[in-house]
Every structure is written in structure tokens, then in C-alpha cells.
Amino acid sequence: MQPMDPSEPDATMADHPRWYGALAGLIAAAVALVFGELVSAIDDDIPGLVLGMGEWIIDITPGEAAQASIQNLGTAGKSSLLPGITITALLLGALLGDLSKRVSVKIGAAGFTAFGLLGGFTAARNPQSPAIASWITALVAAGLGVGTLILLLTRMHRPTRLASFREDPRQKSATRRAFLSWSAGAGAVAVTGFGLARRIGAESVAEVAREGIDFTGLNTPTTAPPLLGPVTPGSFDTVPGIASYVTPNNSFYRIDTALRVPQVDPDRWSLSFTGMVDNPYSLTFDEILAMDELEEHTVTLSCVSNEVGGGLVGTANWLGVPLSSLLDRAGVQEGATQIVGRSVDDWTAGFPTDTLADGRTALLAVGMNGEPLPIIHGFPARLVVAGLYGYVSAVKWIEEITLTRWEDFDGYWVPRGWSKEGPMKTMSRIDVPRSRETVAAGPTAVAGVAWSPPRGIQAVELSIDDGDWRPCEIAAPGSDETWVQWKTEWDAPPGDHVLRVRAVDGEGELQPVGPKRVDPDGAEGWHAIRVSVS
Ligand SMILES: Nc1nc2c(c(=O)[nH]1)N[C@H]1C(S)=C(S)[C@@H](COP(=O)(O)O)O[C@H]1N2
Ligand SMILES: [Mo]
């Protein structure tokens, strides 16, 4: 057998069906992507090629679009982005394969190289990624792609230089069989590699470390208010369908810009206090766990993009060190008017230094409902500030706290169209009955939650079909920094009805009627639902 020049489209290559080229390109792209997945499964810090691309796309998405999809970024938009990129990459591979077969394999080689360069660039630009290793991974992946493409395409060449080849049908079917079986083989390699990557990647260093952390030996919090567990008398947790007073970790909402949840090894992590402070210092995870100042506080956290009646809100028992004592140790300088948190993935949020002046809970939190922070909720440490929306305060996977001037820095969402200040607005929500539910006529429980941290909730009122506002019962809350559960009984008459709720905050201020949309500083409005009574 003689070596072929793959850059010349061989007459015999043209004899085979057109889709052979596309198939070869698709498989080559799959092999390249799977190689990236395998490397990233072995080393948590190196992103797969698709992920790197996705992170880049999110970052360059213009503010308007990102703003419109802040909610989606947390959920649906993010989960369709990666499959979308994967499918696009495979289709582009198919296109390159087609051009390589019909025109010149140089096009395929150039295309894969370009992808390698883009992949290297997008993977290496993330602050969590080791740049050189990410570049090497992407370029090796591209090389494997080119290699696979050439390997498959050359299977279509004539096996010998016999002049009679073209007239010999046996030769043609031999090359067809060769191409198809090599393609099947390469495809199997890709599929197996993908499965392997999934299995290796199952548990990260961070997860293993997190599972090994035991909070039982910690200094017991002494200054914390008494905690209301999920079934504490005085809560309305027993009302079917109501949000429990404490939200379990596995149903707590999640919002962040991270496509790849940062996997932080607590042994290699530290938090630094920088900027306008007299004594910059840093803390390790073990140092935090050993602190006498650890306290547990129940605090309600909400996303600014929570719609009226929405679920981007939850309450947890947060274990952590008061931010004020950490800042005292740093020695905040005169003129420092903003506290900025930065995460390992370079996400930032800032709030006024003055926020802490009223003594509200502001924690560097390491625990959530008796466990180390779940990885998606910021392991090993995050901020929780009562009464501020998450986007200006609740930095997850935090690694730096910087003191600066208010006018000198804007957090991540501010240039993207969201308000610079993010105090939480008074909100109330009907949980039962569900919107559009059909209920039986007669006595019916109506219940839900209302919150206005740190002011607290004084009263909750319900109106049926725009009738008088009737007061509801409120369960004794843990503090003014959490939501309250409310309920009332309604003697439901048959027909269609509208139920509407509103709250009064601890200072006697009525919940704003709105309606206002979520941007730029949080929705306003009285939650209303429609129910049919039969
Ligand atoms: N590192 C990082 N921290 C972040 C975010 C983010 O995108 N990255 N999003 C913030 C927003 S907008 C909210 S509402 C809260 C949500 O916290 P949770 O996911 O634990 O509910 O996290 C905040 N902390
Ligand atoms: Mo948010």
C-alpha cells in the first residue's frame, strides 16, 4: 500500500456518497470534544471545550440580553446553552468533513485548527483555569480531530495504485467497507470516552472534601437567636402546600452565572481582606471553623429577579462569622464606603459599608441548615446579608473582600442594567391554594409567606374578589430577618374567584402595590391567584 496525499481529493473519494464526508467530520468533531471532556473530568480545573465556549458566550452576551434572561441564566437558558454548543460544534464538524471530501482536506484541517485556537482561548480565559494546560488540551483535541478526519477520509482512497481500480467494483466496495468500519470504530471510541468522562467526573475534590467536614466539633453558637426548626410549634409547616419556614437545601433556589459550578478545594482556598484596610490579611477554611465568633442565624435570601409570586426566595439557618468582626480585624479606613466581594470565578457584588451600621445579620457563611454549604450554594464560604438582594451581596465561592469607595467600583450586574443598590422590598405570596387550582366549596385554607428583611412583617391581609382586606394569622417568626408564614380560612363559595395578598412591614409601611417589573431593582406588586371552586 502506498501513502496517499490526503490534500488531493482522490477520484475514488468522489465515488463514495457525499454524506461519507459529513459523517467523517462529525465523528472527528466528536472525538475532539470527548478528548476535552476526558481531560476536564480528570482535572476539575480544566473546562471542557464546550463549557469554556459557553462561559465565554455568557460573558460577551450584551447587558440587555443578559438582563432579560437573568432568571434563565440560573436555570433554563444555561441548561440549553451547552447542548446547543455541542450540536453546533458537531454540525460544523460535519460541514468541514463534507468540504474536506469534496474540495480539500486542507479546509478540514484549517477549520479544526481554528476551533482549537478558539477553544484554547475560551478555556484559558477563565480565572479558575490553568491557562497553559487549557491551551494544550484544546490544541491536542483539535489535532485529534484533524487526525481522525484524515484517517477516515483516506479509508475511501483506492488501496493500491492499480490503474484498473476505478473499473473494479470489488475495490470500491472494499473501500466502502473500510470507511464504514473505521467510522464505526472511531464513533465507538468517542462514545466510550464520553461515558468514561462522565464516570470519572462524577465527584470533585471539593465534593470529597465537603463530605469529610464535620460541624459537630465546632464552637457552639452562643449569641445566635433561638432557631425555629422545620416543625417548631408556632410555624405553619403543617399546612399542606405552604413553603416550610426553613427551606431544605435541596429545594433552595439557585442563581448564578456559573456554567461550571466552582469546585473549590478548601485546603487550597483562602479569603483575603484587601483594599482600604489598615491590616490586610487572609483566612483559611480551618481558621474560620476554629473561630469563637461562629454564629448561626436564620435569614431569608431572595433574588432581585424574583417575580411577584415567584420561587427565587428561601430561608436557611446560616452558620458563619459576622462580617463586622472580620472587618474590625482588617481595620476599615476612613472613606471606605463600599464592601465588595469577589468569587473564585470573578463574579462581584458590592454594597454600602453603612448597611452593617444597623446591626443586621451579615455573615461570612460556611454552613447552611446544619451542613457545610452545598457546592452550588457557595462551598466553602459565601456572604449572606439580611435585607439585601443576592446580586449585590450574597457572593458564593468568595475569595476576596475589598474595601473601596462607592463610586470606584460597580459589581457584576450593575453595568448590565441593574440598580447599584439592592435593598429587598416587602413581598407576600400565596402558596395554597395553587394558582388555577380547583378546590371544593366550603372551608378552605389559604396560606403563604411574606417577607421584608430586616424590617420584618407586622400584618398580612387577604382580599377575595377585590373585597375588603381581612387580616391573616402569622406564625411566630425566628426574627425580622426572615419571612413569616401566614394563613387564614376562607369559606369558599362555588364559582371563579381571585385571591390577593398584601403585607405590612415592621415599620408599618404597606407593601408597594406596583406593578413593577423585576429590573432594575426588584419587582413590586400584590400577588393574586385565580381559583375555581366547585
Ligand atoms: N459567585 C457568584 N455568587 C453569586 C452569584 C453569582 O452569579 N456568582 N449570584 C448571586 C445572586 S444573583 C443570588 S440571587 C444569590 C443566590 O444564591 P443561591 O444560589 O445560594 O440561592 O447568589 C448570589 N451570589
Ligand atoms: Mo439574584
Side-chain angles (χ1 to χ4, degrees):
M1 211 194 282
Q2 297 200 11
M4 301 293 141
D5 174 5
S7 67
E8 284 302 309
D10 191 286
T12 63
M13 208 141 92
D15 285 345
H16 291 288
R18 180 167 171 184
W19 61 269
Y20 278 22
L23 178 67
L26 186 115
I27 291 172
V31 166
L33 292 181
V34 163
F35 175 76
E37 291 308 304
L38 266 174
V39 175
S40 108
I42 292 164
D43 183 336
D44 294 334
D45 291 337
I46 301 175
L49 301 172
V50 172
L51 196 56
M53 195 80 73
E55 288 174 338
W56 182 59
I57 290 175
I58 284 194
D59 271 7
I60 61 170
T61 303
E64 284 288 292
Q67 177 180 342
S69 65
I70 178 177
Q71 189 163 348
N72 293 344
L73 280 184
T75 49
K78 256 174 21 180
S79 54
S80 58
L81 181 60
L82 298 187
I85 294 172
T86 308
I87 291 167
T88 308
L90 292 174
L91 290 179
L92 284 171
L95 179 71
L96 288 173
D98 179 54
L99 291 169
S100 299
K101 176 175 177 293
R102 289 188 302 117
V103 187
S104 163
V105 81
K106 280 178 187 152
I107 296 178
F112 273 89
T113 308
F115 273 125
L117 293 174
L118 183 62
F121 163 71
T122 57
R125 55 180 276 291
N126 191 296
Q128 297 162 87
S129 318
I132 294 182
S134 304
W135 268 106
I136 293 175
T137 305
L139 293 177
V140 171
L144 283 173
V146 176
T148 306
L149 182 65
I150 292 176
L151 176 83
L152 295 183
L153 290 178
T154 50
R155 293 313 98 184
M156 284 180 253
H157 286 284
R158 56 179 180 264
T160 70
R161 290 232 177 242
L162 286 176
S164 61
F165 170 73
R166 296 207 62 183
E167 287 75 50
D168 185 341
R170 281 170 307 162
Q171 295 287 20
K172 191 178 163 194
S173 68
T175 53
R176 186 183 67 225
R177 274 199 308 276
F179 172 76
L180 291 177
S181 51
W182 277 88
S183 295
V189 167
V191 169
T192 312
F194 184 72
L196 201 63
R198 276 289 140 107
R199 289 183 62 173
I200 308 175
E203 199 161 59
S204 72
V205 181
E207 276 165 296
V208 175
R210 181 181 178 274
E211 278 155 21
I213 293 166
D214 187 2
F215 276 177
T216 50
L218 290 184
N219 299 310
T220 22
T222 46
T223 49
L227 297 174
L228 291 181
V231 287
T232 307
S235 95
F236 293 155
D237 282 359
T238 47
V239 176
I242 199 175
S244 57
Y245 177 64
V246 173
T247 313
N249 288 354
N250 59 15
S251 51
F252 205 95
Y253 81 95
R254 171 192 169 197
I255 289 287
D256 50 64
T257 58
L259 274 183
R260 160 178 45 157
V261 179
Q263 304 290 328
V264 179
D265 177 352
D267 291 336
R268 289 163 50 193
W269 171 89
S270 68
L271 168 69
S272 354
F273 291 83
T274 62
M276 296 171 67
V277 292
D278 291 332
N279 319 299
Y281 70 102
S282 48
L283 285 174
T284 65
F285 189 61
D286 288 340
E287 284 168 345
I288 296 171
L289 293 192
M291 286 187 152
D292 291 331
E293 294 99 328
L294 278 174
E295 296 176 4
E296 193 170 41
H297 292 268
T298 314
V299 174
T300 293
L301 183 64
S302 166
C303 186
V304 66
S305 52
N306 191 35
E307 307 276 356
V308 173
L312 299 179
V313 55
T315 301
N317 299 317
W318 305 98
L319 175 74
V321 183
L323 191 54
S324 52
S325 65
L326 297 172
L327 292 179
D328 285 348
R329 176 168 160 196
V332 175
Q333 290 171 0
E334 189 93 11
T337 44
Q338 185 174 198
I339 302 170
V340 173
R342 190 177 56 78
S343 65
V344 300
D345 59 339
D346 257 352
W347 187 86
T348 52
F351 54 96
T353 317
D354 278 352
T355 310
L356 307 185
D358 60 8
R360 72 179 70 199
T361 298
L363 289 180
L364 171 69
V366 292
M368 184 175 181
N369 295 330
E371 285 176 29
L373 288 176
I375 309 251
I376 58 167
H377 293 297
F379 179 81
R382 73 175 302 169
L383 291 182
V384 173
V385 182
L388 295 187
Y389 287 123
Y391 82 105
V392 291
S393 64
V395 186
K396 306 191 274 189
W397 316 290
I398 192 166
E399 72 174 4
E400 186 180 7
I401 293 176
T402 304
L403 273 291
T404 181
R405 288 187 191 84
W406 184 250
E407 55 285 6
D408 284 353
F409 186 83
D410 289 335
Y412 182 88
W413 282 112
V414 177
R416 291 167 171 83
W418 294 81
S419 159
K420 181 144 179 179
E421 287 204 69
M424 275 165 65
K425 297 179 179 179
T426 305
M427 266 295 169
S428 49
R429 188 180 79 194
I430 304 172
D431 288 344
V432 265
R434 300 259 159 244
S435 184
R436 308 198 176 275
E437 194 176 320
T438 303
V439 298
T444 304
V446 182
V449 286
W451 62 96
S452 184
R455 301 169 293 274
I457 293 290
Q458 213 168 70
V460 176
E461 299 170 331
L462 186 77
S463 149
I464 313 275
D465 299 327
D466 293 323
D468 292 345
W469 290 96
R470 53 167 95 180
C472 304
E473 263 183 272
I474 294 178
S479 78
D480 288 340
E481 298 180 334
T482 71
W483 60 19
V484 300
Q485 296 168 308
W486 60 268
K487 72 170 183 189
T488 190
E489 199 180 80
W490 170 43
D491 193 12
D496 286 349
H497 301 284
V498 173
L499 278 53
R500 186 173 278 114
V501 69
R502 68 181 192 186
V504 178
D505 77 10
E507 292 163 1
E509 195 83 33
L510 182 63
Q511 175 182 344
V513 61
K516 270 179 84 175
R517 32 187 276 174
V518 295
D519 61 284
D521 64 355
E524 290 176 13
W526 295 346
H527 186 212
I529 63 163
R530 204 173 286 278
V531 291
S532 313
V533 179
S534 57

